[in-house]
Amino acid sequence: VLHDALVTAAILDLVPRETALIAVGKRGHRPSCAQKDIDALLVGLARDGYRVVRLKVGDPSVFGRSGEEIAACAAAGVAVEVVPGITAASAAAADLKMSLTHRDHARRLEIVTGHARDGDLPADLDFRALADPAATVVVYMGKARLGAYAARVLAAGASPGLPVLAIENAGRAGTRTVSGTLGAPPDLGGLGDGPVLIVTGAVLGTRPRSVSAAVHPCATPPR
C-alpha cells in the first residue's frame, strides 16, 4: 500500500499486518516524494508480482495526480482499477450543511488549483470566469495564495463583498472554518497545518444558522 501523508492512522490500521505500508505523501513546501519516484514504485512493485494499492485521500481524480500515475502504469502494461472517492469540495459542502449549487445563487461550480508547479498561483486561471457572481468557486491548495487570488479576482470585476470561506480538514476530524469577503479575506492565522479549501460565492449566504433534527412537515405521512 503506497499511501499519502493525509491518510489517517485509523484507515491504515485496516490494512492487513502482512501488507507493506510505504509512505509516499506529497505536502506543499515540505520534503516530499517526487512524482516520478512514485510512478516508478507503482510500476516496479507490480512487475515484481505484488498487488499494489495507491491509497489517496478524497477523490484521486481531482488534483490527485491520478492521471500521471495511470499513464505510467499503462505505458508499462500494468492493469489499473480506479476506486472513486469523495472530493474535498463535496466533503466541505456536507460539513457546512450547504449545497455548492443553488437555483437562485449558483448555476455553475468551478474547481481550480491555487498551486502551480512553481508553487505560485497559476497565472493561466480564467479570473474573469472566477469573478462570475453566479458561480461557486472552490480553490484547492490555495491557503498560501489567498491574498493574491482575491486581488486577481477583484481586478477581474468581482464584488469586494463576495463571501469567502476557508475550511480546514474538510470531511475529517478537527474541521475549522474562518469567513470573510474578497475585499477583506479571512484571517487564516488561526488554522493549523491541515489541508485548506477556499470557497467563494453568493451561495455561502444560504448556509443555515442552525439545523434542527426535527422531521420536516413535508416528510410526515398524511393522516
Side-chain angles (χ1 to χ4, degrees):
V1 174
L2 279 63
H3 64 90
D4 280 349
L6 295 176
V7 178
T8 63
I11 296 298
L12 295 179
D13 285 345
L14 300 175
V15 178
R17 290 187 178 182
E18 63 272 16
T19 300
L21 293 173
I22 303 175
V24 294
K26 298 177 73 65
R27 298 296 301 272
H29 310 291
R30 302 182 190 180
S32 301
C33 291
Q35 187 61 54
K36 62 181 180 61
D37 294 334
I38 298 174
D39 296 345
L41 267 175
L42 287 169
V43 171
L45 290 169
R47 282 179 166 172
D48 286 342
Y50 292 99
R51 183 178 295 244
V52 183
V53 172
R54 177 67 171 100
L55 185 59
K56 296 173 179 277
V57 169
D59 189 330
S61 300
V62 180
F63 300 123
R65 292 193 177 94
S66 65
E68 297 172 48
E69 295 172 5
I70 293 169
C73 290
V78 175
V80 173
E81 177 185 358
V82 179
V83 178
I86 298 174
T87 192
S90 297
D95 283 342
L96 298 170
K97 295 180 175 62
M98 58 169 276
S99 173
L100 295 172
T101 58
H102 193 286
R103 287 186 293 178
D104 298 325
H105 303 289
R107 294 181 292 279
R108 187 161 54 84
L109 172 64
E110 295 250 6
I111 297 179
V112 300
T113 176
H115 186 91
R117 283 184 179 271
D118 61 3
D120 208 344
L121 184 69
D124 58 353
L125 292 177
D126 187 346
F127 290 99
R128 290 185 63 186
L130 299 178
D132 179 3
T136 301
V137 180
V138 183
V139 184
Y140 284 56
M141 299 168 286
K143 179 181 179 181
R145 298 289 177 263
L146 174 57
Y149 173 82
R152 292 293 302 273
V153 176
L154 286 170
S159 167
L162 193 69
V164 178
L165 182 141
I167 178 168
E168 180 183 23
N169 290 323
R172 297 159 58 93
T175 300
R176 289 185 286 186
T177 63
V178 287
S179 302
T181 63
L182 278 179
D187 180 5
L188 306 184
L191 300 182
D193 62 353
V196 174
L197 285 182
I198 308 298
V199 185
T200 70
V203 73
L204 288 169
T206 67
R207 293 172 58 207
R209 292 179 180 270
S210 62
V211 178
S212 172
V215 176
H216 192 278
C218 293
T220 304
R223 295 180 179 179

